[in-house]
Amino acid sequence: MTFSSLSDIKFSDVVDIEKIKLLFHYFSDITNFKIAVYDLKTKKELLNVNECSICSNYYHKESQFCNHCRNVVQNSFDEEAEAGNVKTKTCENGLIAGSIPIVINGHHLANLCIGQVFLNPPDIAYHKKQAEKHGFNVDEYIKTIKQMPVINGIKFKNHLKFLYQMSMTITEIGISNLNSHKAKNELQKMRNELEAHVEERTQHLQNEIIQKKLVEIELIGARKQAENVSKTKADFLANMSHELRTPMTGVIGMADLLLDSDLSDMQQKQMKNLRSSAETLVNVLNDILDFSKIEAGKLELEEIDFSISETIKNTIKLLDIQVLEKNLQLSYSMPKNVPVYVKGDPTKIQQILFNLIGNAIKFTDKGEINIELAECFVKTDKDEVFLRFNIKDTGIGIKPDDKTRLFEAFAQGDVSTTRKFGGTGLGLAICSRLVQQMGGMIGVESIYGEGSTFWFTVVLRTGTSETKTVKQPHSEIAGQRQINILLAEDNETIQMVVMMKLESQGYKVTTVGNGLLALEMIKNNPTDFDIVFMDAQMPKMDGPTATRKIRKLSGIAGKIPIVVLTADAVVEHRASYMEAGFDKFLTKPIDWDEMYKTISEITNK
């Protein structure tokens, strides 16, 4: 791709719309917002998610836009703008839309547009007059008006803020791609010059040297491009993880608090559905992060002793509710020669089983699901344990033509599968990569309409058992002193959830809103607290900075146990937190059992 000047660049030249479409679909599904991307060079709409039904069904009948939208798109959006300038417009119908310019190297290439929503409940009498004025069917028009999303101004601003961060990331990607195009053009220019030089020479040796130089230049350019793209992608995923995990922590935590309270059966069911939906969103985010790490070759496997039987049982326990809701029969079996303990990565094996069993439940409406550890071979001379798992269901089965694509990223049986059952299409791709890393294979046997059997193999090592003393939570040990906890967290909802959950276990909790206040509390009252839970990203002073400063304090204050509690779930970042002086790493949304276990381990040392 070449440009005669920077003014010739179109947004679609530097940003791949298909690669950002999935993210916008997730955001639109969560917020019910319309999201559109307009290329100002071509005057075309490049992406449109969840189109506004009022505009599309009524005011766009005879042209692409109504007068308001045309003015917004062609006038306001064409104005010279600087990156970070957010515009909002409210039309005569009371619908508000927002525009965020995307400016790359000083050129305003496109606008990220969102809307349209009501900030206040619509005036039905006014809209009846509008329908009559334009000759619309009044009942249908009012029905459509009532279906439009209504959101308060604060939430609208928060969504705009998140979209602004997304636009900045898209801008960085565009700049990176533009620089990559420039580098390619420069590389081509250098290639042409070198080839011309080669033509002037007749000696074979000189020709060889020049060719080697060309390869060297290409490798350097490719390496720099790959490093830039990898860094941009990693930064974007880390930011997306943090921005989604923080509110999800509040949602799941509040659901847990309500589930612990006195609710009716119907309310219990509704709260469980709410929590399940939030966990599904977190699982989607985890799939994206896992797949990104696998693709980058950064996923590392643990090698610890564990019970394969307990791993299967724990996985089934996590899916018990889904099995009961669909009234399915679920069983598992394993041969007698399976070692009690093996050595490997139990978390990754549980992830594979959870995905395959979860899919079996999802695609089975009646009948049974059988989890079978079908084969076990122990090679004592090589210290290896070969295992084969079968997950068999009586579900809908798979069409023969769809089998070959099942383990590809973002692939599902057909489009109707995504609409009916949901999912990102990453689960089986991740399972395939994990199985390969563990020296195994994965496959499927299926008869369409009768059911499927997914199987996979792994190669582990023989393990040994270790007798461990399980300690009670400190708050439950009779005669022990009160455990005092300091919580540093800037999000008030998460503050309240953590405090109430910990106090329900008998702990005393003191909360502060940033790292600076936590530092002052420890400095002035070093003996008042037994453990500190510290958020990573906070105003005034973040968690790692506060922890480094606490570790420099003299005496008992500098040795207080500190646990980072963060929405940053990128595994590669854990080392930097531990280097800051944290004793343990916990992620949001919070696993309460893991938090209680951490408190017990630290305070019982």
Side-chain angles (χ1 to χ4, degrees):
M1 183 183 305
T2 58
F3 311 108
S4 58
S5 68
L6 289 177
S7 60
D8 296 330
I9 302 172
K10 301 188 296 295
F11 180 74
S12 55
D13 290 332
V14 293
V15 177
D16 189 338
I17 294 297
E18 292 300 319
K19 290 186 178 179
I20 63 173
K21 184 183 293 185
L22 181 63
L23 178 61
F24 285 131
H25 272 286
Y26 287 153
F27 184 83
S28 179
D29 288 345
I30 296 169
T31 63
N32 204 22
F33 272 16
K34 169 189 174 179
I35 300 178
V37 176
Y38 292 94
D39 190 324
L40 298 183
K41 295 293 182 181
T42 62
K43 304 295 183 183
K44 290 182 179 179
E45 186 180 71
L46 301 179
L47 175 66
N48 192 331
V49 180
N50 193 20
E51 183 168 356
C52 171
S53 55
I54 290 295
C55 298
S56 61
N57 295 345
Y58 295 96
Y59 293 99
H60 293 183
K61 287 284 188 177
E62 298 178 358
S63 64
Q64 186 181 3
F65 305 103
C66 67
N67 288 334
H68 162 68
C69 291
R70 184 181 297 106
N71 290 335
V72 170
V73 173
Q74 296 181 353
N75 297 329
S76 174
F77 293 176
D78 282 347
E79 295 172 1
E80 288 296 322
E82 294 180 359
N85 184 20
V86 180
K87 294 177 178 289
T88 58
K89 289 281 186 177
T90 304
C91 72
E92 62 182 5
N93 291 316
L95 289 164
I96 187 168
S99 166
I100 303 171
I102 298 176
V103 181
I104 296 176
N105 281 8
H107 292 268
H108 185 188
L109 299 184
N111 288 305
L112 174 58
C113 308
I114 64 166
Q116 287 86 349
V117 297
F118 289 113
L119 295 186
N120 296 296
D123 184 342
I124 300 303
Y126 169 81
H127 289 290
K128 284 183 178 180
K129 292 180 181 179
Q130 283 290 89
E132 293 168 355
K133 174 182 175 182
H134 292 285
F136 303 147
N137 182 301
V138 175
D139 292 339
E140 292 180 359
Y141 184 81
I142 294 304
K143 182 180 177 181
T144 306
I145 284 290
K146 290 180 178 180
Q147 292 173 348
M148 294 300 294
V150 179
I151 184 171
N152 66 48
I154 294 175
K155 286 186 177 180
F156 182 75
K157 289 181 179 178
N158 287 339
H159 291 326
L160 275 180
K161 179 181 177 182
F162 182 67
L163 279 173
Y164 162 72
Q165 293 173 337
M166 288 169 60
S167 74
M168 291 298 98
T169 301
I170 292 170
T171 298
E172 291 176 6
I173 292 173
I175 292 172
S176 177
N177 289 340
L178 180 59
N179 291 336
S180 174
H181 291 315
K182 288 180 180 178
K184 287 181 179 179
N185 292 339
E186 288 297 321
L187 181 61
Q188 185 61 46
K189 182 180 177 181
M190 293 176 67
R191 178 192 292 272
N192 294 339
E193 292 175 353
L194 286 171
E195 288 178 349
H197 185 62
V198 170
E199 291 175 357
E200 296 174 359
R201 307 286 183 174
T202 57
Q203 296 182 10
H204 180 71
L205 180 59
Q206 288 179 318
N207 187 45
E208 250 185 27
I209 293 173
I210 292 172
Q211 291 300 325
K212 288 180 180 179
K213 189 65 177 177
L214 284 171
V215 172
E216 181 182 340
I217 293 172
E218 288 178 348
L219 289 174
I220 292 172
R223 184 177 62 196
K224 288 183 178 179
Q225 179 184 353
E227 289 173 351
N228 290 337
V229 171
S230 178
K231 184 179 183 303
T232 300
K233 183 179 180 181
D235 291 345
F236 172 73
L237 288 173
N239 184 58
M240 182 179 72
S241 172
H242 182 273
E243 292 300 323
L244 289 178
R245 283 176 180 275
T246 297
M248 281 299 103
T249 301
V251 172
I252 293 174
M254 291 300 294
D256 287 337
L257 288 177
L258 288 171
L259 286 169
D260 290 341
S261 64
D262 187 16
L263 299 177
S264 67
D265 292 342
M266 178 58 71
Q267 289 170 330
Q268 281 275 342
K269 183 178 180 180
Q270 290 169 343
M271 289 311 303
K272 287 178 180 178
N273 288 338
L274 171 64
R275 196 185 193 286
S276 176
S277 297
E279 286 181 335
T280 298
L281 181 59
V282 175
N283 288 335
V284 168
L285 179 61
N286 289 339
D287 278 350
I288 294 173
L289 292 173
D290 280 347
F291 187 74
S292 174
K293 286 182 284 186
I294 291 171
E295 288 292 282
K298 294 182 178 179
L299 190 69
E300 297 181 358
L301 296 177
E302 282 188 307
E303 191 163 299
I304 60 175
D305 294 315
F306 70 99
S307 164
I308 195 69
S309 174
E310 288 300 315
T311 299
I312 297 173
K313 291 177 183 178
N314 291 339
T315 307
I316 293 174
K317 191 179 297 182
L318 292 172
L319 295 163
D320 272 348
I321 295 177
Q322 296 180 36
V323 174
L324 291 173
E325 286 177 346
K326 300 190 75 171
N327 197 27
L328 299 173
Q329 296 295 321
L330 191 149
S331 62
Y332 85 95
S333 60
M334 58 190 297
K336 294 182 179 180
N337 68 327
V338 176
V340 177
Y341 290 94
V342 293
K343 190 183 293 289
D345 192 326
T347 302
K348 295 299 185 290
I349 290 179
Q350 181 167 316
Q351 183 177 355
I352 297 168
L353 288 170
F354 185 87
N355 201 301
L356 296 180
I357 300 171
N359 280 350
I361 296 170
K362 182 192 298 186
F363 294 108
T364 302
D365 290 328
K366 61 181 180 179
E368 61 182 355
I369 296 165
N370 179 255
I371 298 96
E372 179 187 19
L373 206 172
E375 299 177 23
C376 174
F377 300 113
V378 180
K379 298 181 179 179
T380 55
D381 57 330
K382 292 186 178 181
D383 190 30
E384 289 182 349
V385 180
F386 173 89
L387 300 176
R388 176 186 169 110
F389 296 82
N390 294 334
I391 293 86
K392 184 177 181 180
D393 65 63
T394 57
I396 61 175
I398 302 166
K399 296 177 182 178
D401 292 343
D402 294 331
K403 290 182 184 179
T404 57
R405 301 187 302 110
L406 275 182
F407 299 101
E408 297 175 5
F410 307 106
Q412 290 185 325
D414 52 42
V415 176
S416 62
T417 300
T418 304
R419 288 198 300 265
K420 182 176 180 181
F421 297 101
T424 61
L426 288 175
L428 291 178
I430 292 171
C431 288
S432 177
R433 306 300 200 282
L434 291 176
V435 165
Q436 290 173 21
Q437 281 198 256
M438 286 186 273
M441 300 175 64
I442 189 169
V444 62
E445 299 166 3
S446 180
I447 299 176
Y448 185 61
E450 295 185 15
S452 304
T453 298
F454 280 84
W455 59 267
F456 71 93
T457 63
V458 293
V459 179
L460 307 175
R461 295 175 58 197
T462 55
T464 57
S465 62
E466 292 183 4
T467 304
K468 297 181 180 179
T469 302
V470 180
K471 299 179 181 179
Q472 291 177 292
H474 204 294
S475 58
E476 297 178 3
I477 299 176
Q480 294 289 339
R481 64 179 177 81
Q482 175 72 59
I483 297 301
N484 296 301
I485 298 172
L486 176 62
L487 171 65
E489 169 63 62
D490 63 313
N491 185 292
E492 293 181 359
T493 301
I494 297 176
Q495 261 193 21
M496 178 180 67
V497 168
V498 175
M499 182 172 68
M500 293 181 69
K501 289 292 287 186
L502 292 180
E503 288 182 344
S504 72
Q505 298 295 308
Y507 301 113
K508 181 180 179 182
V509 182
T510 302
T511 62
V512 292
N514 59 65
L516 182 61
L517 291 176
L519 173 62
E520 293 299 320
M521 291 286 283
I522 299 300
K523 185 188 296 183
N524 297 328
N525 309 282
T527 61
D528 285 1
F529 304 103
D530 300 288
I531 184 172
V532 180
F533 284 99
M534 185 89 70
D535 185 20
Q537 297 185 21
M538 293 181 288
K540 295 187 179 179
M541 183 180 290
D542 61 34
T545 301
T547 300
R548 290 189 187 95
K549 291 182 179 294
I550 291 172
R551 293 298 178 228
K552 292 179 181 179
L553 298 176
S554 60
I556 191 172
K559 298 178 181 179
I560 187 168
I562 307 175
V563 179
V564 63
L565 192 61
T566 176
D568 180 1
V570 179
V571 176
E572 290 74 22
H573 294 174
R574 294 191 180 189
S576 64
Y577 287 113
M578 303 311 289
E579 289 171 1
F582 289 104
D583 295 281
K584 189 144 184 182
F585 180 97
L586 296 181
T587 60
K588 300 173 184 176
I590 300 167
D591 182 331
W592 300 113
D593 289 337
E594 184 67 21
M595 176 175 272
Y596 302 149
K597 178 183 175 183
T598 298
I599 296 172
S600 177
E601 289 175 348
I602 290 177
T603 57
N604 287 334
K605 284 184 178 178

